[in-house]
Each structure stands twice: as C-alpha cells, then as structure tokens.
Amino acid sequence: MDLFDKLEGRPSPLGPFTSEGYGYYTFPKLEGPLGPEMKFNGKDMVVWSINDYLGIGSNEEIKKTDTAATAQYSLSAPMGARLMTGNSTEHEKLEEELAAFVHKESAQLLNYGYQGIMSTIHALVDRNDFLIYDELSHACIVDGKQLSMADKSVFKHNDIESFKKQLYRAAKKKKDNSSILVVTEGVFGMTGDLGILKEIIELKKEVPFRLLVDDAHGIGTMGKDGSGTGTHLGVQDGIDIYFGTFAKSFALIGAFIASEPRVIEFLKANSRSQVFAKSLPLPMVVTARKRLKMISEHPEWREQLWNNTLKLREGLREIGYTVLPSESPVTPVLTKGSTDLCQDIMRKLREEHGVFVSGVAYPVVPKGTVLIRLIPTAAHKDAHIEKTLKAFEAIKDYVFEAAEKLSA
C-alpha cells in the first residue's frame, strides 16, 4: 500500500479538532501585540491561553534588548553546533546564571525544551537501566522514554504506592551495572497539581535512584524566588536533574538542564539533539539573560500573577464551576461533557463574550469529561477577570444542563 494513501485513512488522536476545526479549535491565529488582549478572527479577545505567566513578553525594556541584540549579532550568529563552532561567552554566562538561579552547580543550555529533555533521557540511561515515570508526564518525556533502551515502567499519577511498586520491582531486578532514573513533573501543565516530589525523594533512603524533574510550568512561578517547584516544596537539593524551559515564564525559545558538573559535562557531549543542531542564536541568549535578571529583580510580577490566579479561581468556584485543586497558576475547569460541548464552550465564549480559552476533551482527558484550561498572567487586570467571570456566568446554564443530560 502506498504510504501517502495509508496516511489518509489514519485517524488523528484529536479527531474532528484536526480537520473540521482547523484555524478555529486547532491552529487558531491570535494577532496583535502579545498580551491579555489580542485579536482572533478580527474580534477583540481577553486571552487565557498564553503561557506568558509573568507578562514578560510585552515588557518594553525587554523589547529594547531584543532589538539591540538582533542589530548587534543578527539571528545568524553563532553558526554551527556549540560543540564545533557555535559556542560563545554569552552562552556560557547564561548557563552559569541559570544554574545559580535554580540552586544547582552547573547547567546546559538547550535549543528547545521538547528535543532537549528527550535527548537528556536518551543519553542518561542505557539497556541495563530502569526508567520510571508518572503516567501524566508531558509528551516530551513519553517520547524520550520511547527513545531510551532502558527497562520502562509507569506509575499512576501522583500515587506513591504505585510508585513504590515500580521502584521495588526495579530494585529487585537490577544488576551491579544497573541504575534507576525516575522522571516526573514539578507542575503538571493540564491539571496544575504538583508532583509528589517530597514523597518520591524520601524513598531514596530505601532504594538508590536519581530524580529528573520537568519544571516547565514551575520555573518563574513557584518558590519564593521563582526558582521552581523544588524550592517551593523545600526539596530542591533532592532533585538530581532539573529541567526548565524558556517557553513559559521567559516567553522565549530555549531551555536548560541543571545538575552536578560531571552530569552536565557528560550531557554536553552526548545529548544528540544539541550535539548535532545549530547553536541557539546570540540574540536569544542575550535576551534570555536579560529576562532571567528581570525575573529575579521583580518578585512583584509573581505576586501579581498569584493575585490574579486566586481571583479568577475563586470567582469561577463562586459561580458554581468545578475548578480542579491546582497548586499552581494553571486553572483547570472540569465538567462532564463531550467533544461537542467542549467546542460549544470555546465557541460561545469567543463569539458571544470575547473571551478566548482553550479546551480539551477525549482522548486528552477521560471520555465523558471536558477540561477548559485558563492560564492567568501578571499582565491580566481586574477588568479582564470580571469580564471572563461574567462570560462563564452567562453560559453556565447551558454547560450545566449538558452535563446533567450526560449523567442521566
């Protein structure tokens, strides 16, 4: 059978969202300056779907840094992979600053978070090792697991008994040259709950293993200094390998891994997605340094983010919606419903109320449920929150009646 013919009949996991919803439910175009107010299909929207947690993407001082760095270096420099000709003092300084920010000894800069963490997992473990991961781990971790030749096992989401079962299994099977790598997240991006890092780290006393934490949604938002979920929970020292991305709080491209110097030295020579890829352009490195500095200097941005999060969350609960018990700024609204209801909620909020939210249905969440995820930022104002709450109030009867029919 011809490969292209076969692709035509292969179903997408997103179902009707992929084709019928193209440009609206999937691949929508938000236009205008980045921020809580943008345009969609020519209409003004209050936007709750952008992970610019600290509102840093529209900061004028940062925009000036972006412009000046691009004028000085261009987006071409440096040319080549870092291992060959793509290294610079700016890259090395950024790595030093990132390591210090997350309270680790050393760091490796990554071109992209998704590729970077896949490569990290692939490089760290071999066929003699054991890889244990949370079932709700991000797709980049799942794909990294697929690349790995280690013995893999998954534990139920944030279930310590399920984790123990997999850990004890690995400990029983391991040989003298076997190691165990555990992978979980600091903040789970869809549900907003935190990984059970304390409980996992406590088990190091029983079985030796190393812990890799993907803190994409935690860096910049969690911890008294913004250094992430490990700091927030008081267990940063127990995280052996810390991953942070620039795609959320930094509003940028890139990411990093932080750990002991011997680990970073190994990864710099063995992470295939970095060894065989062009170096991160200098303007992005320069602006990443600026953004990191400003995140450290402006704790009030994080305070405002949390103020907005709590106002939005409490308001939704007062209206009667079920807001999952998120411990991060991620605000997930859960209801019973189908893919059709998920589409209807998004369409009604956008078309009738000028509120842009993103939602997911089966197979991203269990069949019969709809999850609407709102991402508050420090740039949102009280007026944005009030308008959004009024919109959710206006569609409440429709949403709840649909959920009731499903229960009947």
Side-chain angles (χ1 to χ4, degrees):
M1 182 178 187
D2 181 74
L3 174 62
F4 291 179
D5 292 339
K6 187 164 67 172
L7 294 180
E8 284 186 33
R10 186 179 295 173
S12 162
L14 295 174
F17 283 105
T18 304
S19 50
E20 298 162 28
Y22 184 90
Y24 195 91
Y25 301 115
T26 60
F27 299 92
K29 298 172 185 174
L30 287 169
E31 298 173 315
L34 184 66
E37 293 182 21
M38 299 181 75
K39 285 191 179 294
F40 175 64
N41 286 353
K43 296 180 181 178
D44 292 329
M45 295 281 157
V46 175
V47 179
W48 298 95
S49 297
I50 294 175
N51 294 321
D52 181 14
Y53 283 115
L54 301 177
I56 209 168
S58 55
N59 182 278
E60 290 302 322
E61 191 175 338
I62 284 172
K63 284 183 183 179
K64 288 177 184 176
T65 299
D66 295 350
T67 302
T70 304
Q72 181 177 356
Y73 296 109
S74 87
L75 288 168
S76 300
M79 283 299 294
R82 281 188 72 194
L83 194 69
M84 301 295 287
T85 58
N87 197 22
S88 78
T89 301
E90 289 288 337
H91 287 75
E92 292 175 347
K93 284 181 178 177
L94 176 55
E95 288 174 331
E96 291 170 9
E97 291 160 0
L98 288 166
F101 182 68
V102 298
H103 313 292
K104 295 296 179 188
E105 294 178 80
S106 191
Q108 177 193 16
L109 188 59
L110 306 171
N111 291 1
Y112 286 96
Y114 199 107
Q115 294 173 344
I117 200 166
M118 283 174 59
S119 244
T120 296
I121 292 170
H122 175 245
L124 286 172
V125 288
D126 62 31
R127 66 176 70 250
N128 299 303
D129 298 327
F130 295 83
L131 176 63
I132 306 171
Y133 63 100
D134 188 292
E135 68 177 344
L136 289 192
S137 293
H138 190 269
C140 61
I141 293 171
V142 175
D143 288 353
K145 176 263 298 185
Q146 296 291 82
L147 284 175
S148 163
M149 298 181 73
D151 183 312
K152 301 120 181 164
S153 60
V154 60
F155 61 96
K156 293 177 184 176
H157 176 55
N158 274 351
D159 185 325
I160 195 62
E161 293 306 317
S162 177
F163 172 69
K164 284 181 182 177
K165 182 178 178 181
Q166 300 306 329
L167 182 64
Y168 296 155
R169 167 190 165 274
K172 190 174 180 180
K173 289 180 67 177
K174 71 193 292 283
K175 304 169 186 174
D176 290 341
N177 63 339
S178 298
S179 303
I180 301 172
L181 176 66
V182 175
V183 186
T184 189
E185 301 197 21
V187 175
F188 287 86
M190 287 305 298
T191 53
D193 54 337
L194 307 185
I196 50 170
L197 305 186
K198 278 186 179 179
E199 294 88 339
I200 288 174
I201 290 168
E202 187 67 20
L203 285 165
K204 286 184 177 183
K205 295 174 183 175
E206 292 185 39
V207 178
F209 63 87
R210 294 294 185 173
L211 174 63
L212 187 161
V213 173
D214 173 352
D215 208 23
H217 290 268
I219 187 166
T221 68
M222 305 295 293
K224 62 184 183 297
D225 57 358
S227 61
T229 310
T231 301
H232 173 75
L233 296 174
V235 295
Q236 188 74 344
D237 287 348
I239 297 173
D240 301 293
I241 307 160
Y242 180 92
F243 168 84
T245 181
F246 300 158
K248 320 295 181 188
S249 291
F250 287 62
L252 194 64
I253 292 292
F256 69 99
I257 287 282
S259 186
E260 298 177 19
R262 58 178 174 159
V263 176
I264 297 304
E265 183 180 354
F266 171 83
L267 289 174
K268 282 185 175 180
N270 290 279
S271 295
R272 292 172 65 83
S273 68
Q274 309 308 304
V275 171
F276 297 102
K278 184 183 180 298
S279 178
L280 201 62
L282 267 165
M284 291 190 179
V285 177
V286 171
T287 193
R289 292 187 66 199
K290 177 68 172 178
R291 291 165 197 238
L292 178 61
K293 184 173 185 288
M294 291 190 75
I295 289 170
S296 299
E297 292 175 345
H298 291 279
E300 71 275 11
W301 293 348
R302 197 161 48 257
E303 290 169 15
Q304 187 59 49
L305 164 64
W306 278 101
N307 287 338
N308 290 343
T309 298
L310 295 175
K311 282 179 190 174
L312 178 67
R313 194 170 292 168
E314 289 166 8
L316 288 165
R317 286 191 178 122
E318 284 174 9
I319 294 169
Y321 285 92
T322 299
V323 181
L324 294 181
S326 169
E327 301 166 81
S328 70
V330 177
T331 300
V333 178
L334 191 70
T335 186
K336 291 181 180 177
S338 62
T339 301
D340 288 342
L341 178 61
C342 185
Q343 292 175 326
D344 286 347
I345 291 172
M346 287 190 281
R347 188 179 64 254
K348 282 178 176 293
L349 287 173
R350 294 174 188 181
E351 301 301 327
E352 298 173 17
H353 303 282
V355 174
F356 189 101
V357 300
S358 298
V360 293
Y362 179 81
V364 180
V365 291
K367 189 171 283 189
T369 59
V370 169
L371 189 148
I372 305 296
R373 186 181 71 162
L374 292 87
I375 302 291
T377 73
H380 281 99
K381 307 296 182 188
D382 285 348
H384 299 138
I385 297 172
E386 288 164 12
K387 179 176 181 176
T388 301
L389 294 176
K390 284 179 182 176
F392 272 86
E393 176 83 54
I395 68 167
K396 178 176 72 171
D397 290 344
Y398 174 81
V399 174
F400 290 1
E401 282 172 17
E404 227 174 273
K405 286 178 185 174
L406 197 69
S407 302

